[in-house]
Amino acid sequence: MTETADTAYIAYGKGRIPLRMDPARARWHLITPRSEPPLETPEDEFHLAASKPAGSPPLSKLAGPGDQIVIVTSDGTRPVPNKTLIPWIVKELGAPPENITILLGTGSHRPNTPEEIAAMMGGDVTGRLRIVNHNAFDPNQNCAVGKAHPIGDVALAREYVDANKRIVVGFIEPHFFAGYSGGAKGIVPGIASIDTILNLHSFGIIGHPNSSYGIIDNNPTQEAIRAAVALRPPDFMVNVTLNSEKQITGFYLGHYIEAHLKGCEHVKTAAMAAVPHRFPVVITSNSGFPLDQNLYQSVKALSVAARIVENGGRIFLVSECSDGLPAHGNFGQYFNKGLKSAELLEWIRKQPKPGLDQWQAQTLANVLLKANVSVYSHLSPEQAERCAMTPVSDLQKAVDKHLDGYNGDVCAAVLPDGPLTIPYLAA
């Protein structure tokens, strides 16, 4: 939905910061998701959805008394409401706590700390259930399950493969490679081995024009994910949709493809916004905590803004980045090479195989080829400049000063919730 207002409140960390939109400086376009109220009785609606899932038996019928159950859910970089969902799932299952393992789908990210797990899950869950971080880098913790085109050998977490019953939990939003998050993506790359993750994120797959927001059909990233997960599919899926306040607006339970598609249709109507033209100035967040913990994750916000910015325009990224670039992983190392964006892309393309975090560096380089980027964050000036961005210490002053150069004759777009809204050019 596109609206106008005098002040935009831009998601930043666990709060919001105001941005005055002076009509004398620009013609403003505020781009936000369609406002959705939270479910009034979410627990009741969850249990109803669990009893009538799409394409599978009820959740309460899933497991027998002796079954070992693994519940895969996202790590601390995703706002999945685990604190409420996990207890509801366990209640439906009716299984003893010792038969249940929670497996955190870290993908290639660092493991969650005990403090982060406690914040994600709550004391009741952490005190009763076994919770394990996936480790993509340890071959002993992953096992081969077959081959899938075009990524080749697929290996998944042994905890998942060895379980009698498998459940995947997640939330659905537009995703810059897979079309939408949730569904099969909770398994691959969530609990895949690092080699599987790297092959999924190859230069060609990620660089394909259909590997983009809101596209499911003929999306090579989504197709590769589904082919890999089909080798060891989950028995049940619990996905939710969320509003900008991270409140639950819908449940999509059952078969991991059928139920997921229903959720994607809902998200498409709520989160895709048509705009009339490109903008020389775009201001975007990364939808606040937990998604804006580092610059690696915040590339998503930049890729959204790049969809509607003019060539040579300016993007202002508003992202706390409390975890830095981050220090773990290889994302920052790509920008230590001192290469210009086009040179970096060519270097990545020529590598014999994908490298860790290459896909995010590839995406950022493509954005930087199109637009200039200023960043308001906790990054040091040196970190921002290393990634070819201009550090900003006062967002309002920086935006006002930039707009003053247009003498009031400019259109500016603001995405206060970043990738929770995916703008597209109206036909």
Side-chain angles (χ1 to χ4, degrees):
M1 181 174 65
T2 305
E3 300 175 341
T4 58
D6 293 332
T7 302
Y9 293 91
I10 302 177
Y12 183 79
K14 294 182 179 179
R16 289 180 178 268
I17 58 175
L19 177 72
R20 294 187 309 277
M21 298 186 294
D22 185 350
R25 281 194 163 94
R27 297 181 297 279
W28 297 90
H29 293 252
L30 185 63
I31 304 170
T32 61
R34 179 168 59 85
S35 178
E36 284 196 291
L39 297 178
E40 292 184 2
T41 56
E43 184 170 4
D44 291 342
E45 296 195 43
F46 169 83
H47 291 298
L48 178 62
S51 69
K52 297 179 179 180
S56 74
L59 180 55
S60 62
K61 306 295 184 183
L62 178 69
D67 283 329
Q68 293 297 314
I69 305 163
V70 65
I71 301 174
V72 178
T73 191
S74 301
D75 68 3
T77 65
R78 304 291 189 270
V80 178
N82 289 302
K83 195 177 295 185
T84 52
L85 289 179
I86 298 299
W88 297 346
I89 293 169
V90 171
K91 183 178 179 181
E92 282 286 332
L93 290 169
E98 59 269 22
N99 286 15
I100 301 173
T101 294
I102 307 298
L103 179 59
L104 302 179
T106 55
S108 61
H109 307 163
R110 66 168 174 81
N112 293 268
T113 66
E115 294 76 17
E116 289 169 334
I117 293 172
M120 289 164 55
M121 297 291 174
D124 182 56
V125 171
T126 54
R128 294 174 58 220
L129 302 179
R130 178 172 175 258
I131 303 174
V132 179
N133 280 300
H134 170 57
N135 187 337
F137 302 90
D138 184 353
N140 294 322
Q141 296 189 38
N142 299 281
C143 59
V145 294
K147 294 179 181 292
H149 179 76
I151 61 179
D153 293 329
V154 175
L156 302 177
R158 194 175 298 278
E159 293 272 2
Y160 173 83
V161 175
D162 289 346
N164 300 111
K165 297 296 179 181
R166 309 177 187 96
I167 300 170
V168 63
V169 179
F171 87 109
I172 306 171
E173 66 170 351
H175 187 269
F176 63 156
F177 299 148
Y180 295 91
S181 66
K185 192 174 178 296
I187 306 301
V188 176
I191 56 164
S193 70
I194 189 58
D195 287 339
T196 302
I197 293 171
L198 294 179
N199 290 335
L200 171 66
H201 291 83
S202 69
F203 188 90
I205 293 176
I206 295 306
H208 193 283
N210 282 357
S211 287
S212 187
Y213 290 103
I215 300 174
I216 288 287
D217 295 336
N218 301 313
N219 179 326
T221 301
Q222 184 67 223
E223 289 176 349
I225 289 171
R226 289 185 181 179
V229 173
L231 298 169
R232 282 295 189 282
D235 298 290
F236 199 89
M237 183 193 81
V238 174
N239 273 191
V240 298
T241 52
L242 305 173
N243 62 19
S244 60
E245 303 302 317
K246 311 297 191 295
Q247 299 166 314
I248 298 172
T249 60
F251 289 108
Y252 301 91
L253 275 62
H255 189 272
Y256 73 101
I257 292 179
E258 185 175 339
H260 182 247
L261 287 174
K262 292 179 183 292
C264 293
E265 284 300 314
H266 174 88
V267 169
K268 184 177 182 179
T269 63
M272 304 291 286
V275 297
H277 51 71
R278 297 188 184 277
F279 299 84
V281 181
V282 180
I283 300 107
T284 183
S285 79
N286 203 44
S287 73
F289 184 87
L291 295 176
D292 75 345
Q293 292 181 74
N294 54 56
L295 183 60
Y296 171 93
Q297 292 293 341
S298 301
V299 172
K300 296 175 181 177
L302 290 172
S303 70
V304 170
R307 294 168 64 91
I308 59 169
V309 73
E310 289 182 354
N311 288 333
R314 172 71 59 174
I315 298 172
F316 287 87
L317 171 64
V318 182
S319 180
E320 188 174 47
C321 297
S322 57
D323 194 28
L325 293 179
H328 53 89
N330 291 348
F331 173 69
Q333 296 179 22
Y334 288 93
F335 297 93
N336 288 337
K337 300 180 182 298
L339 300 175
K340 295 181 179 179
S341 297
E343 295 171 335
L344 178 57
L345 285 170
E346 183 64 11
W347 183 88
I348 292 171
R349 188 187 67 80
K350 288 182 176 179
Q351 298 311 296
K353 62 179 183 179
L356 179 63
D357 298 335
Q358 158 246 296
W359 49 91
Q360 220 79 339
Q362 179 180 341
T363 303
L364 178 53
N366 275 313
V367 172
L368 293 169
L369 274 179
K370 185 176 185 181
N372 302 295
V373 176
S374 297
V375 57
Y376 177 81
S377 70
H378 283 184
L379 296 173
S380 69
E382 293 76 18
Q383 287 175 313
E385 290 165 0
R386 189 200 322 169
C387 297
M389 299 181 187
T390 302
V392 166
S393 59
D394 187 312
L395 177 66
Q396 188 72 58
K397 287 182 179 179
V399 171
D400 288 349
K401 182 178 179 180
H402 184 76
L403 292 175
D404 285 346
Y406 292 92
N407 297 314
D409 185 23
V410 63
C411 290
V414 183
L415 293 100
D417 293 296
L420 293 185
T421 314
I422 308 303
Y424 62 93
L425 295 174

